[in-house]
Amino acid sequence: MNMSHLPLLQQGIAVLAALVLFTSFALLAQTRLTSAIHSFAWQGAGVALVTALVAYSSHTSHLYLSAALTLGLKSLLIPWMLHRLVRQLNMERLVENIAHPAVLLLTGAALVIFSYWVSLPIEKLGLGDTRNIVAISLSVVLLGLWMMVSRRQVIAQVLGFMSMENGLFLAAVASTRGMPLVVELGVAFDVLVAAVLFGIFFFHISESIESLDVDRLNRLSEREEHS
Amino acid sequence: MIAFWLVLLLPVAGSMLLALTSSLVVSGWLNVFFCALEFLASLWLAVLVHAGGSLAVAGFQIDAFNVYLIMLTTFVGLTTAIFSRPYMKDVCEQGRLTRQRMRLYHAMFQMFLFTMLLALASDNLGILWVAVEGATLATVLLVSLYRTPESIEAAWKYFILCGVGIALALFGTVLVYFAAQQVLPDAEAGLSWRVLYQHAGELDPRVMSIAFVFLLVGYGTKVGLVPMHFWLPDAHSEGPTPVSAVLSGLLLNVALYAVVRFKMLVDGSLHSTDMPAMAGMLMMGFGLLSFMVAVLSLQRQRDIKRMFSYSSIEHMGLMTFAFGMGGPLATFAGLLHMLVHSLTKSAIFVTVGHASHIAGTQRIEHIRGLIRTQPGVGWGLLIGVAAIAGFPPFGVFTSEFLILSATIQSWPWLTVLLLSGLGIAFAGLFRNVQPMVYGAAPEGQSAVSANMLPVLVHLLAVLWLGLAIPAVLYGWLNEVTLLIAGEGL
């Protein structure tokens, strides 16, 4: 597929989607929490911009609303909440130690290739650029998942979780011009409630184990049952 | 119409009212009262649907399949509320909970019922997703209600694992919507079950099979399928007992309901390809794996609630296997098993709650001599376990027998695995339960105030289903089987 054959708007969408993928990698390897939150905010802004472009190119007016919602929620409100929490918990200067950054990023790259492989059948439908977008959004989802698995800080896990949501939203917008408005409002509501609950949990966890390191959340393992 | 809106909106009203009620006595009774109203409304709804075949209200669709689960949900909700009233009052008086958290508990209990009913009644795949995610959000603070380090850890695991799982399910839903948009004239209708079933044959089989993998893994996390089951034993053992009862009896069912609905859709789409039974095979594989892993993990548990949560995984695996096998007999058996498992398991969790109150611990080796101390609880536990282990004449025996017969018909070799698994589970459960109910009670162990009415009602219903399935219920389940498998028994 040759990019230059696509209309300008489509090219713009593809470039922005690639930028969203880039922020995913930035999130994955970012050791400073505050910078990771910034990367997440940029990712939200990228998704919102893609949504606005899709709305403009397909003349779907309700997508403008979704774009505004995403911008407000994912790139302003949630990052602001996380920032405040980090300040309250005195973790601004915290730098997380990543054991093998190269392995982390290479696995991420492998996940992107895997996503392209999974979305091969969609290419056969002959819908031009859709496959690229589906593959990129699946990559963002899987990279978020990988971040949750590999990072040890609770806040990093939450960022991974939220960036998974970004990937899902991108998939919905780019491949189907957005879900119906009711569903999108419902999903946004769930994300908002989840963000609030995460905040509540930070305090509970830091009270109960005096740290936000998930390695210390190990009271309930099966191995303990033996001892 | 009115019946439907009552079923859906009563829990919301209840939740709001209970969030504002601070008196313990009043809120306990109010919770029971609202659950009773919801049960009556669902009964009315069931009668209407039974008479008319199905009911469609803007954005909602009630047919035989979901009205059966709606009734089960409100019924188990009611009996759990009856149990929770004195139980949670006890807990509160022991000082483990503050008034404020009791308000949270009652409000979220009703909110949880609302999300379950919304998920079941909705005609929209997206709303189904929103509701199932909402159920996680409503229960996550209930799991950590006691605020012990263990319960917070359990709630965190539950939150993260189910969140991830459900995110994958949303990706699957987007793919289904994408496939629907390619063939439907009105793209906006591409999330309606009703419309999708009519066009199932035209949906692109390649996209649908990718979508099903995501949906199975996603909703399967909530069903508790291995290897995505790690949240389940933790959440069940650390949360308050009424929450374990509704999680095990209701949430798992609703997630399985979603999987079965999607399987029906994917089967329609893959009908004319060279892999027509792909969805069923995947479900059989995951179901069998969960069944075997749960049966083996059950053996080494030291915590009584953990042990029974593994038993829940075992039974959910068995149901997933049965629905995956397809065909009228297996589907009928799966539906019956859903019913009897919910009733039995919530009865067991209620009894276990009382038992651990008597002993003051959840460790199996410290719970002894229940029959001596409080015969009602001891016998309740013994009979409940006999029922869940598949002893005749209880209903679980009937449904397991039907699942085995269906397996013999289509996959004879798998019967060996299933039978040995059931044997091992039986041995594991009884090895642990026998010393708990018999034997000498430790000194100073005394009876607690227990309400065994819910247990009695559930176990009698399971016994009745084992001896004779009423003709009404048989006709009803047969109608659902017709809906899912394409032909009745």
Side-chain angles (χ1 to χ4, degrees):
Chain A
M1 188 185 63
N2 194 338
M3 282 292 269
S4 58
H5 289 164
L6 289 170
L8 202 59
L9 275 173
Q10 289 289 327
Q11 286 186 35
I13 292 172
V15 169
L16 278 171
L19 279 177
V20 170
L21 182 61
F22 175 71
T23 53
S24 253
F25 274 100
L27 261 177
L28 190 62
Q30 189 56 261
T31 48
R32 282 178 58 107
L33 274 181
T34 33
S35 319
I37 294 173
H38 288 153
S39 308
F40 171 74
W42 281 113
Q43 188 176 52
V47 173
L49 209 53
V50 172
T51 315
L53 268 187
V54 171
Y56 180 71
S57 72
S58 65
H59 309 290
T60 341
S61 50
H62 87 252
L63 270 184
Y64 286 117
L65 188 62
S66 316
L69 208 61
T70 315
L71 190 72
L73 205 60
K74 297 275 183 58
S75 86
L76 298 173
L77 185 62
I78 292 178
W80 174 75
M81 281 166 63
L82 287 172
H83 254 300
R84 222 182 50 153
L85 281 168
V86 167
R87 263 204 310 280
Q88 282 172 349
L89 294 165
N90 286 325
M91 294 171 66
E92 284 146 302
R93 306 212 156 267
L94 195 95
V95 175
E96 193 186 339
N97 197 8
I98 296 179
H100 301 288
V103 178
L104 193 73
L105 288 172
L106 280 177
T107 316
L111 284 173
V112 176
I113 297 171
F114 173 74
S115 312
Y116 268 86
W117 177 76
V118 168
S119 47
L120 263 182
I122 293 171
E123 190 184 24
K124 297 193 183 111
L125 284 174
L127 289 167
D129 206 29
T130 313
R131 177 203 166 190
N132 251 325
I133 304 280
V134 170
I136 286 178
S137 40
L138 183 58
S139 314
V140 174
V141 172
L142 291 180
L143 285 173
L145 188 60
W146 176 230
M147 184 169 168
M148 291 173 74
V149 176
S150 57
R151 299 286 291 267
R152 307 263 55 108
Q153 273 297 326
V154 169
I155 293 186
Q157 287 195 332
V158 171
L159 285 174
F161 181 85
M162 291 287 169
S163 91
M164 274 179 86
E165 292 276 346
N166 274 344
L168 292 167
F169 191 78
L170 187 66
V173 166
S175 66
T176 64
R177 274 174 263 116
M179 309 275 255
L181 195 61
V182 210
V183 179
E184 260 173 29
L185 288 177
V187 173
F189 177 73
D190 276 354
V191 169
L192 187 63
V193 175
V196 172
L197 285 182
F198 275 132
I200 297 175
F201 262 96
F202 288 160
F203 284 103
H204 291 172
I205 292 176
S206 64
E207 263 172 35
S208 80
I209 62 172
E210 285 162 7
S211 122
L212 279 178
D213 191 329
V214 276
D215 273 345
R216 308 257 312 260
L217 284 176
N218 56 2
R219 286 162 188 265
L220 294 172
S221 71
E222 289 290 331
R223 240 172 279 132
E224 181 225 36
E225 298 285 330
H226 272 308
S227 59
Chain B
M1 276 293 270
I2 302 170
F4 169 74
W5 289 115
L6 275 179
V7 168
L8 205 60
L9 295 178
L10 270 172
V12 182
S15 169
M16 285 171 180
L17 209 57
L18 281 164
L20 298 173
T21 315
S22 60
S23 158
L24 264 183
V25 184
V26 176
S27 61
W29 280 111
L30 207 59
N31 196 25
V32 174
F33 173 71
F34 267 101
C35 285
L37 282 185
E38 284 150 28
F39 177 62
L40 289 177
S42 76
L43 214 58
W44 183 13
L45 183 69
V47 171
L48 285 182
V49 173
H50 194 68
S54 71
L55 193 75
V57 193
F60 297 94
Q61 162 89 2
I62 316 285
D63 56 22
F65 189 13
N66 49 18
V67 83
Y68 142 83
L69 285 170
I70 286 174
M71 260 193 75
L72 186 63
T73 302
T74 52
F75 180 69
V76 175
L78 172 61
T79 48
T80 311
I82 293 175
F83 153 70
S84 114
R85 190 187 59 80
Y87 180 87
M88 292 311 278
K89 212 169 108 234
D90 259 17
V91 169
C92 202
E93 277 158 7
Q94 284 169 15
R96 289 169 77 187
L97 284 179
T98 58
R99 287 288 166 87
Q100 215 175 358
R101 270 188 248 158
M102 280 302 285
R103 259 158 66 182
L104 175 80
Y105 165 79
H106 280 123
M108 284 303 142
F109 187 87
Q110 290 290 332
M111 204 31 109
F112 171 70
L113 286 181
F114 167 70
T115 55
M116 293 286 90
L117 294 168
L118 180 66
L120 289 169
S122 174
D123 182 42
N124 185 311
L125 278 65
I127 301 291
L128 168 75
W129 184 88
V130 171
V132 174
E133 168 80 0
T136 315
L137 300 176
T139 42
V140 70
L141 285 181
L142 294 187
V143 171
S144 67
L145 198 69
Y146 293 147
R147 301 283 156 81
T148 56
E150 286 85 3
S151 69
I152 288 174
E153 181 186 335
W156 180 255
K157 262 192 207 170
Y158 172 51
F159 199 2
I160 290 290
L161 262 172
C162 285
V164 169
I166 211 76
L168 295 179
L170 184 58
F171 194 76
T173 310
V174 170
L175 284 178
V176 171
Y177 187 47
F178 170 70
Q181 278 196 338
Q182 314 302 320
V183 294
L184 292 183
D186 173 20
E188 285 281 300
L191 279 177
S192 151
W193 286 120
R194 214 168 359 144
V195 177
L196 282 173
Y197 284 134
Q198 283 162 9
H199 295 270
E202 304 158 35
L203 298 173
D204 186 83
R206 288 162 302 197
V207 179
M208 289 304 282
S209 38
I210 304 177
F212 187 73
V213 174
F214 280 101
L215 289 162
L216 181 62
V217 171
Y219 286 114
T221 310
K222 284 235 133 157
V223 180
L225 294 181
V226 174
M228 297 85 75
H229 67 287
F230 291 102
W231 65 273
L232 198 145
D234 293 348
H236 280 63
S237 62
E238 297 307 323
T241 306
V243 176
S244 321
V246 286
L247 282 181
S248 215
L250 303 178
L251 180 75
L252 309 185
N253 275 353
V254 172
L256 185 61
Y257 161 84
V259 173
V260 173
R261 283 264 166 174
F262 278 111
K263 175 186 181 267
M264 290 155 66
L265 197 61
V266 175
D267 276 352
S269 160
L270 297 185
H271 190 62
S272 52
T273 56
D274 47 351
M275 281 285 281
M278 193 280 285
M281 300 288 263
L282 270 178
M283 283 173 74
M284 279 172 67
F286 269 106
L288 207 58
L289 181 70
S290 314
F291 175 75
M292 292 312 293
V293 170
V295 158
L296 295 174
S297 315
L298 190 148
Q299 305 293 325
R300 54 173 215 189
Q301 298 307 317
R302 299 272 172 85
D303 180 308
I304 182 169
K305 278 162 100 182
R306 272 185 102 82
M307 180 174 81
F308 285 115
S309 57
Y310 273 104
S311 153
S312 288
I313 301 180
E314 171 209 339
H315 287 278
M316 292 321 284
L318 201 60
M319 281 174 232
T320 313
F321 175 78
F323 283 119
M325 209 157 34
L329 185 61
T331 307
F332 185 89
L335 289 167
L336 186 63
H337 201 74
M338 233 175 181
L339 183 65
V340 289
H341 172 255
S342 285
L343 292 175
T344 321
K345 194 47 72 58
S346 42
I348 286 181
F349 271 114
V350 168
T351 330
V352 163
H354 289 315
S356 56
H357 257 192
I358 292 173
T361 174
Q362 287 177 200
R363 305 288 288 183
I364 290 174
E365 70 253 33
H366 297 309
I367 305 178
R368 287 293 178 260
L370 289 176
I371 291 186
R372 292 264 168 84
T373 315
Q374 196 164 8
V377 174
W379 283 109
L381 187 61
L382 189 65
I383 296 172
V385 170
I388 204 74
F391 248 101
F394 290 101
V396 181
F397 172 76
T398 320
S399 58
E400 282 179 353
F401 183 78
L402 289 176
I403 293 178
L404 283 173
S405 326
T407 318
I408 289 176
Q409 278 178 15
S410 42
W411 303 84
W413 284 103
L414 292 181
T415 356
V416 183
L417 265 182
L418 287 182
L419 266 179
S420 51
L422 288 174
I424 298 170
F426 169 81
L429 285 173
F430 263 82
R431 186 168 54 92
N432 285 323
V433 166
Q434 200 253 354
M436 280 195 276
V437 293
Y438 296 118
E443 273 178 44
Q445 185 165 285
S446 59
V448 294
S449 68
N451 184 356
M452 294 304 280
L453 182 74
V455 178
L456 191 70
V457 172
H458 279 207
L459 290 180
L460 278 178
V462 175
L463 183 66
W464 187 18
L465 288 171
L467 293 172
I469 299 176
V472 182
L473 188 68
Y474 173 79
W476 192 3
L477 287 182
N478 210 11
E479 213 176 300
V480 185
T481 310
L482 188 70
L483 207 70
I484 299 174
E487 50 183 324
L489 267 184

